[in-house]
Structures are given as structure tokens and as C-alpha cells.
Amino acid sequence: RDAAAEHAARQRLDRMTKPPGSLGVLEDVAAQLAGTAGECPAPLPTPAAVAVFAGDHGVHAQGVTPWPQEVTAQMVANFATGGAVVNAFAAGLGADVVVVDVGVASPVGPAAGLLDRNVRRGTADLALGPAMTLEEARRAVEVGIEVATGLAADHGCLVTGDMGITNTTASAALVCAFTGASPVAATGRGTGVDDPTLARKVDVVTRAVARVPAPPTTPEEALAALAEVGGLEHAALAGFLLGAAAARVPVLLDGVIAGSAALVAAALCPTALEHALAGHSSAEPGAGLALRALGLRPLLGLDLRLGEGTGALLAFPLVASAARALRDVATFDSAGVTEK
Amino acid sequence: RDAAAEHAARQRLDRMTKPPGSLGVLEDVAAQLAGTAGECPAPLPTPAAVAVFAGDHGVHAQGVTPWPQEVTAQMVANFATGGAVVNAFAAGLGADVVVVDVGVASPVGPAAGLLDRNVRRGTADLALGPAMTLEEARRAVEVGIEVATGLAADHGCLVTGDMGITNTTASAALVCAFTGASPVAATGRGTGVDDPTLARKVDVVTRAVARVPAPPTTPEEALAALAEVGGLEHAALAGFLLGAAAARVPVLLDGVIAGSAALVAAALCPTALEHALAGHSSAEPGAGLALRALGLRPLLGLDLRLGEGTGALLAFPLVASAARALRDVATFDSAGVTEK
């Protein structure tokens, strides 16, 4: 980020007709946006685009969710016809939705707004061995970079989204692998699984993470850990964050799938999250562990646990409002308001 | 609220293509909106209108703030020309802003969007005696009712706003008077006052609240306590909430000024807050005390402490998004998505 633009934003925030600091967290957001844009005030981060990366998971065979695997493909069709929550939120917020098949188990589409970038028809079972090959992981990362680069050309803010039955299992494994957190602490109920299913999920995560000896310290180790215990949508999201950073566009993270992918992105490139903001604090425990490890404070706390990018999208108006305030609010001088 | 519509909303939320409960707090919001509207799905709560009630305070003479009193009138002019933070946020969110002079010390306006409803040119010093007469308090309440009734005719959501140098002092006194909280716990730094000023503020609140022997239990006692230690904008906001309730329109509360006025409204009419939502958790301690006493959970927590309605306005997209989801999202049946 551009330190001079960020400093100018802080100075302008203190000259605006309001008590210093009274916009709380939004002052940090406004300054970050200026740093990302390299100018103060930053341009409005509009319109937003949410990219929903969809993938399936071989670990579904372990009985870690009550939902059938075909729901991933069915929800991709639902996104394409505008029937999901992410579509409703996006319509209200003026955001575009792009759905990317990066790893769905069965063929989907074609449909408007649906990109076929399938790298593999679902991962292998991460309970038993590597979820994917290094080459597959790399290709999925490249899909994310490509999508971010394309969207950044005509959008002011990128938003992470995901769909994949069982993807909270892979997310928990990634959080453990990249932060050293314990599987019990990082594994949550996802869509709301019962106690026996949660116990199976913790066991699966424990076995998978045992194959990653220590948190990755190099890009090569990060890619290997991603391939070992991650998902194709996680890989694509890591690439999406890299692409957003390269394009210097603000990017909003959704819940635990984005958070775990952000850990991968940061291990692939230390400055990958300079332009990222955490949209919300998901009810899934791994999300909080990931954000703390990354030093990101979530903007919203609404106990959401849906995914799709819904929580990040809901934070978009806060980001846009911060930018508007920095751009449009009068200063004490310009408005003729007396200072204390 | 309409219990049948609320029940229908809960049932629809469980049939929508998402895991049950996965929209967290927004499911409560969606159900409440249906209950307020008396139909499921509820109509979209758009557009929003924020009413900024402005007033001055005789207690300014006690040195409880470093800001000159004339800043109230200067900020009213700033609102009227669109230069304040509330204007910037409203422009981005498609909300209208109405400014109401209910008690500014010096003449303001006329200007577009500015209503002259001045009841008195600032309150008397609440440290020394009643801030206003019962009749003045009543007239200011009626101003709020009138404004809410007018805005409800062509807006789907009302938003509380306020401006008044030193109004966090009157707010703290109202919170203490209506909840029994201690002045030390309820009095905050407002715009960011230093330790000696905070100590004076606590002393002033303590002396004022001593004249209200116990929390009001009747509407007559509530009006008397309001007149004794409140402000004209607090009175108008209490009326604004009553008017919104009578019109059955959702209303979003901003920070401590709205929270303390909501305590007054609830004491004037026990069902006054049925259609209210708390926009955010202000950094001012009295706000949290008021919301807890009222059983309201704030939607946002961003450490805001600006007032003007800014925190409530930022929560508006969440409310609108909850309504959109309830109205537009497909069900498992309609989308052909398999259930677990």
C-alpha cells in the first residue's frame, strides 16, 4: 500500500467535520483504501463483484456432512438462475455475481455468468491421501488469478465466494496446517452437523493434518500443503487474492473458506493480503483462527455461516461508505465549522 | 407485531436454499420485518429516511465539552448543504436526510431539507434544575411524532439521527434515570473529552439524576424525567419512535442519544419499540446500557461515536438485505435442490 496516500487520508479524516476518530473502524478502512489506490481520496470501490468458486470434495465419503454431494452442482444451477442468497444480496447492493466451476464433481451449465474452469471433478479423499496433485493445485490457483484479473478491469471491489459440500472440512485442515491450531479448536459444525458427525470431522482433519509436518514457510511448502489437505475452490480463492493484490483492488473475505485460502495466499506471497478486508466473523471457529493469524479484524459479526460470499457482500456497503466519507465530507475550514 | 406473519417468515427461512439458521441475526431481522408489515414476505424497507433532530443544551455552561455551542447550528448548516458524514452515507445508500431544528440555540436556515420546529432555543442547565418544562417536552415529543408520520408515508424504513453539542451528557442522565445505572458507568467521553472534563460530566449527571428519585413507571413520570434531565432532541426522538410504531414502519436506532430516547419512548408506551432495530453498538457506554435494558441487540459494532444517525444508516443495508433474502431466495422445492 502507498504510505503517503494513507497518511494523507489520516490527515483528511482528522480535518473532516466530525470529532477525530469518531468513525471508528471505518477510519482504518478509509485509510487502507487510499493506500490501496495510491491516492487520497481513493476512488469509490464500485461496483463490487463476487466470484463464487465451486468445488467438490472426495472427503464427502467419510460421512462428515448430512448433505448429498450433488447439492454443490444444484446450488451452482441455483446461483446461475439467481435463486440463492448471494444473488438476492448482490441485487440489492448493485454487485455482480460470477460463478466459477473449478472442481464440481458433475458437469454443470453452460449458463450466463457461469465460467467453466473445471480442473478436476472433485478432489480425492483428503482423509486417505493428497486431495490433489501439485499441478492441479497450481492450475486452480491460476484460475483464481485469471478471474480476479478479469473482474478487476471493471470492478472497484472484489468479493470472495464459495460453494462446496464438505468444504468446511478442508478449511479446518488448512487452518490447522497453516497456523498449527488443533483440529478440535479449528473444526466446526459447518452447516450444523450433529455431535457424531462433528467427531468424525475432527478425526478426519486430525489424520489429514498429520501429513503436514509443520506450517509452511516457503511457497513450495504452501502449495504442497494446499494440495495435500485443501480443496479446488480453496486453491482458486488463494489465486483470487493474489490476483486482486496484483491488480491493487480491495478484496473482501467471506468466512472460513476464504480465511483458510487467505492463509495459503499469504504463504505463497507475504504481501498478498495488503489490500484485503475481512467481511465478517463467521460462526465457524476456523474463520476466527485464520483472521487472527492474518491480523485482520472482521467488519461484521452477525453469526452468519452460509458461505457463497454472503457475509463479505454485506460488508461491502461499509467499505463503500468509508470511501464516500473520505471523498465527500466537508472539512472544518470548508464548512465554516468551529473546532474545539 | 403480527405473530402469524412472523411465523410464516420463520417457516420460509427454513425452506430457503441454505442451511437452517445460517443467516444468523439476519433471520431474526427478516422475521421481525414480516411481523412489522403483517405479511410474509415483508415489502422491501426502502427507501430509508434519516431524521436528524438538532438541539442545544444549557448544561454546556458546566464545561462538559471542549466544543463551542455554536457548532450545533454550524453543523445544521453543514447537513443542509450536504457536507456531513450522514449526507455522504445517505447518498451512497439511497437514503433521504431531513434535518429538524427542535431546539437549536440560535436561528438556522431556512434551507432545503431543514424543518423549523424549534420548541425552545436550547434547554436550561440540567445541572441546576429542570432542562425544560413539561409542556416543552410534550411539544418536542409531538414534533418527533409529526416527522415520523410524514416520513412513513413514503419511506420503508426510518432512521434516527441527532446533533447537539453536549447531548451525550443529557443522554447519560436519561440512561441513569430510566435504568438505575450509576453515573460513572453510564457517562462516557462523547466526542473524546479529557479526564477532568469527564469528571465534571459525571458530577453533573450525578447531581441531575438525584432529582429523579426512581425509574419512571408511568407515562407521566417518564415525561417528567425527560423534562428534568433530557434534551429537546431526545424528546423529539422519543416521539419519532412513537410515530414510527404507530405507522408500523421499521425504525433503526443510532447510538446513545437514540438509545436514551428509546428508554423514554418505552416508558411512554410499552410497545413503542416493537418495530425498532438497534443499528450499532456505540463506543459511548450509555448506549450499551440502554440497549440491554431494552433487550435490543445491535447489528453493527464498529466503535463509531459520531451520532447524526451514521451508525444506524450503515445498518440499513443489512435490514434491506434481510428483506430481499426473505422475498427473493428460492426454496429447496422451487430450485430443485436436495435436502439433507
Side-chain angles (χ1 to χ4, degrees):
Chain A
R1 298 207 295 267
D2 184 313
E6 223 159 313
H7 181 67
R10 294 283 180 190
Q11 287 194 310
R12 178 163 166 74
L13 284 161
D14 284 344
R15 299 294 310 145
M16 281 158 48
T17 47
K18 63 174 189 52
S22 59
L23 283 178
V25 176
L26 294 195
E27 303 209 0
D28 300 329
V29 173
Q32 177 171 329
L33 292 173
T36 289
E39 57 181 306
C40 173
L44 295 185
T46 53
V50 53
V52 184
F53 294 94
D56 274 309
H57 299 265
V59 71
H60 187 274
Q62 299 289 327
V64 288
T65 177
W67 296 84
Q69 191 173 60
E70 63 258 33
V71 169
T72 302
Q74 291 168 344
M75 284 300 296
V76 166
N78 197 20
F79 297 137
T81 53
V85 176
V86 68
N87 303 107
F89 286 178
L93 301 172
D96 294 317
V97 179
V98 172
V99 187
V100 185
D101 170 10
V102 66
V104 182
S106 54
V108 291
L114 171 60
L115 298 180
D116 176 6
R117 296 291 185 276
N118 194 286
V119 169
R120 171 181 172 151
R121 297 231 167 269
T123 54
D125 185 349
L126 62 84
L128 306 178
M132 60 191 115
T133 66
L134 285 177
E135 179 55 25
E136 287 161 351
R138 194 191 322 269
R139 282 173 51 207
V141 169
E142 284 167 0
V143 166
I145 295 173
E146 175 217 330
V147 171
T149 306
L151 291 174
D154 51 4
H155 293 85
C157 185
L158 303 190
V159 180
T160 75
D162 67 273
M163 178 67 218
I165 294 300
T166 318
N167 66 8
T168 60
T169 300
S171 299
L174 286 171
V175 169
C176 293
F178 280 79
T179 71
S182 80
V184 168
T187 308
R189 290 179 188 273
T191 54
V193 304
D194 61 16
D195 287 349
T197 309
L198 178 60
R200 276 196 298 276
K201 205 167 159 180
V202 171
D203 176 59
V204 161
V205 170
T206 304
R207 284 190 280 150
V209 173
R211 302 196 307 272
V212 182
T217 57
T218 66
E220 291 71 24
E221 289 175 5
L223 194 72
L226 169 65
E228 190 71 40
V229 304
L232 290 151
E233 70 272 47
H234 299 81
L237 282 166
F240 188 70
L241 296 172
L242 294 174
R248 290 183 73 116
V249 174
V251 59
L252 270 161
L253 305 181
D254 196 35
V256 71
I257 288 83
S260 60
L263 292 169
V264 178
L268 289 172
C269 172
T271 58
L273 299 180
E274 263 196 11
H275 311 295
L277 295 149
H280 74 119
S281 57
S282 163
E284 192 71 6
L289 291 168
L291 295 183
R292 275 192 291 283
L294 294 164
L296 294 173
R297 172 180 162 156
L299 292 169
L300 294 171
L302 297 167
D303 297 337
L304 304 170
R305 50 181 175 81
L306 174 55
E308 301 181 0
T310 50
L313 252 184
L314 289 174
F316 169 67
L318 301 178
V319 177
S321 294
R324 278 207 178 251
L326 185 64
R327 190 190 69 170
D328 294 345
V329 172
T331 61
F332 286 104
D333 306 317
S334 72
V337 174
T338 310
E339 275 187 274
K340 66 179 174 185
Chain B
R1 299 206 295 264
D2 185 312
E6 222 157 315
H7 181 68
R10 293 283 181 190
Q11 288 194 308
R12 180 165 164 72
L13 285 161
D14 283 343
R15 299 294 310 145
M16 283 158 48
T17 46
K18 62 171 188 54
S22 60
L23 283 177
V25 176
L26 293 196
E27 303 209 0
D28 300 330
V29 172
Q32 176 171 329
L33 292 173
T36 289
E39 58 180 306
C40 173
L44 295 185
T46 52
V50 54
V52 184
F53 295 95
D56 274 309
H57 299 264
V59 71
H60 187 273
Q62 299 290 327
V64 289
T65 177
W67 295 85
Q69 190 173 61
E70 63 258 32
V71 168
T72 302
Q74 291 168 343
M75 282 301 295
V76 166
N78 197 21
F79 297 138
T81 52
V85 176
V86 68
N87 303 107
F89 286 178
L93 300 171
D96 294 318
V97 178
V98 172
V99 187
V100 186
D101 170 10
V102 67
V104 181
S106 55
V108 290
L114 171 60
L115 298 179
D116 177 5
R117 297 291 185 277
N118 194 287
V119 169
R120 172 180 170 152
R121 298 229 166 270
T123 56
D125 184 348
L126 62 84
L128 307 177
M132 62 191 114
T133 67
L134 285 176
E135 179 56 23
E136 287 161 350
R138 193 189 324 270
R139 282 172 51 206
V141 169
E142 284 166 358
V143 166
I145 294 173
E146 175 218 329
V147 172
T149 306
L151 290 175
D154 50 4
H155 294 85
C157 185
L158 303 189
V159 180
T160 76
D162 67 272
M163 179 67 219
I165 294 300
T166 318
N167 64 8
T168 60
T169 300
S171 300
L174 286 170
V175 169
C176 293
F178 281 79
T179 70
S182 80
V184 168
T187 308
R189 290 180 188 271
T191 52
V193 304
D194 61 15
D195 287 349
T197 309
L198 178 61
R200 278 196 298 277
K201 205 167 157 180
V202 171
D203 176 61
V204 160
V205 171
T206 304
R207 284 191 278 152
V209 174
R211 303 196 308 272
V212 183
T217 56
T218 65
E220 292 72 24
E221 289 175 5
L223 194 73
L226 170 64
E228 191 69 39
V229 304
L232 290 150
E233 71 272 45
H234 299 80
L237 282 166
F240 187 70
L241 296 172
L242 295 173
R248 289 182 73 113
V249 174
V251 59
L252 269 162
L253 305 181
D254 196 36
V256 71
I257 288 85
S260 60
L263 291 168
V264 177
L268 290 171
C269 171
T271 57
L273 299 181
E274 263 197 9
H275 311 294
L277 294 150
H280 75 120
S281 57
S282 163
E284 193 71 5
L289 292 167
L291 295 183
R292 275 193 290 282
L294 295 163
L296 294 173
R297 170 177 164 160
L299 291 169
L300 294 171
L302 297 167
D303 298 338
L304 304 171
R305 51 182 174 80
L306 175 55
E308 303 181 0
T310 50
L313 252 185
L314 290 175
F316 169 67
L318 300 178
V319 177
S321 295
R324 279 207 177 249
L326 186 64
R327 190 190 71 170
D328 293 343
V329 173
T331 62
F332 286 104
D333 307 318
S334 73
V337 174
T338 311
E339 275 187 274
K340 66 177 173 184

